[in-house]
Amino acid sequence: MARDKGRDSFDRNKGLPGKPRPREVHVFTEGEVTEPGFVTYVRDHGIPDEHGRKVEIHFENLTAPTKRRKPLPLVEDAIPYVTKAERAAKKAGLDQDDWNWPQVWVLFDRDRHEDIPTAYARAKRAGVKIAYSHPCFELWRLLHYQNYTSTFGGVCDSAAARLKQQPGFAQTYGPSIRSVSPEKAKQVMPDQLRDRYEKARRFAQQLNAKHKGPDQNRWDPYTNVYDFVEQGLGIVSY
C-alpha cells in the first residue's frame, strides 16, 4: 500500500484537517450470504494496518439476480464502477498513489464456471481487483481451521463438508448445536474467524505458490482472499 509522502494532513488525505477521506472500496460478491458476512466481520473487527485510516465498503450487488452472480457478469458489472470511483477521487484531489485511492473488488469462486480466464483478463484491463477461491470460498474458511493441500476436483460441496466437520464448528452457532445444515453453514460466525487470520493466510500462500500457470481453472486448491483483506480493507489481522 502506498505510503504518504510527507505532505501535511490536509493535503495528504484530501479531506478535512484531522479527518482523512476514507478509501472507498466497491465490492461485488458471488455469494449472497457468506462473503458479505465475512467482509462485514473483518470491517468491524479487523486490526488496521495504520491507525486513523478508514475504509468505506460499498456492497454493490446485494440484490443482484443469480445470473449476474457469476465470474464474468460480476466483472462486467464492476467495470463501470472503476471509472466512476476514480473520477470522483480525482475531483476530490486524490492521486493514484494515495493510500485512499478507491478500489473495486470482485469475489468469486471456481465452482463449475469455465469463463474465469476471460473474467481475469477483462478485470486486469479495467483495473478491477479479484479475490478468487478454487473450488469456493469455503476453502478460505477451512484454512482458518487446518492446512489443506489436496485437490477438491472443483467440487465445492467437498470443501463445505470438510469445513462442517471441523472440531467446534457447529458449536459456533450455539453451545448445544451438534450439526448445521448446508444453508445455515453459509452464515459466517465470529468464532470461526477470530484470532485465526495469520494461520489461514500462511496456509493459503503455501497453496498458491504451487500454481504458476496462466489458466486459473487449474489452480486447485487456491485462494487469495487475504489480498482483499490486506490490500482492499487495509486489515492486517482479525
Side-chain angles (χ1 to χ4, degrees):
M1 182 178 298
R3 296 294 174 180
D4 301 320
K5 300 180 178 179
R7 295 172 286 181
D8 61 39
S9 176
F10 182 86
D11 181 50
R12 178 174 64 244
N13 298 296
K14 310 302 189 300
L16 298 175
K19 189 176 182 181
R21 177 186 174 91
R23 175 194 297 152
E24 294 186 352
V25 179
H26 302 269
V27 180
F28 292 75
T29 65
E30 181 174 351
E32 298 181 49
V33 176
T34 305
E35 290 93 327
F38 168 79
V39 174
T40 299
Y41 175 84
V42 175
R43 177 196 65 191
D44 294 344
H45 300 282
I47 299 173
D49 64 346
E50 187 166 327
H51 180 72
R53 292 184 171 181
K54 304 296 183 182
V55 174
E56 192 174 276
I57 300 172
H58 301 271
F59 292 104
E60 301 294 0
N61 71 324
L62 288 177
T63 60
T66 301
K67 66 181 181 180
R68 302 306 300 176
R69 291 181 173 275
K70 299 177 181 180
L72 190 52
L74 283 169
V75 170
E76 291 172 342
D77 290 346
I79 287 174
Y81 283 81
V82 176
T83 301
K84 180 179 178 181
E86 291 186 352
R87 183 185 299 121
K90 291 177 181 177
K91 186 176 181 180
L94 293 180
D95 300 319
Q96 290 190 21
D97 59 349
D98 285 325
W99 69 268
N100 46 359
W101 185 255
Q103 297 182 15
V104 179
W105 281 83
V106 173
L107 282 65
F108 60 72
D109 305 337
R110 168 65 172 94
D111 287 333
R112 297 295 185 181
H113 307 306
E114 297 296 336
D115 55 5
I116 290 174
T118 301
Y120 256 87
R122 293 189 183 178
K124 183 177 181 179
R125 288 197 298 268
V128 173
K129 300 179 183 297
I130 291 176
Y132 170 54
S133 298
H134 190 319
C136 56
F137 193 82
E138 278 64 31
L139 170 64
W140 172 245
R141 297 175 67 191
L142 176 62
L143 295 178
H144 286 68
Y145 285 88
Q146 68 163 99
N147 194 10
Y148 188 87
T149 59
S150 300
T151 177
F152 284 106
V155 180
C156 183
D157 287 349
S158 297
R162 183 170 289 272
L163 174 64
K164 289 173 57 180
Q165 294 168 2
Q166 296 303 305
F169 179 83
Q171 287 70 49
T172 63
Y173 297 91
S176 62
I177 302 297
R178 295 292 174 263
S179 64
V180 292
S181 67
E183 195 65 27
K184 183 67 174 178
K186 292 180 180 179
Q187 182 180 357
V188 177
M189 304 301 289
D191 285 343
Q192 299 167 8
L193 304 174
R194 188 181 294 118
D195 299 326
R196 298 174 184 264
Y197 175 68
E198 288 82 1
K199 176 170 64 176
R201 177 183 58 184
R202 183 174 71 254
F203 290 157
Q205 289 175 331
Q206 291 170 355
L207 290 179
N208 297 353
K210 302 176 182 178
H211 303 300
K212 302 297 184 180
D215 185 355
Q216 295 85 8
N217 286 335
R218 298 181 179 275
W219 296 358
D220 182 13
Y222 176 94
T223 180
N224 71 318
V225 174
Y226 57 86
D227 283 337
F228 168 70
V229 170
E230 297 181 9
Q231 299 173 21
L233 304 184
I235 296 298
V236 294
S237 186
Y238 52 69

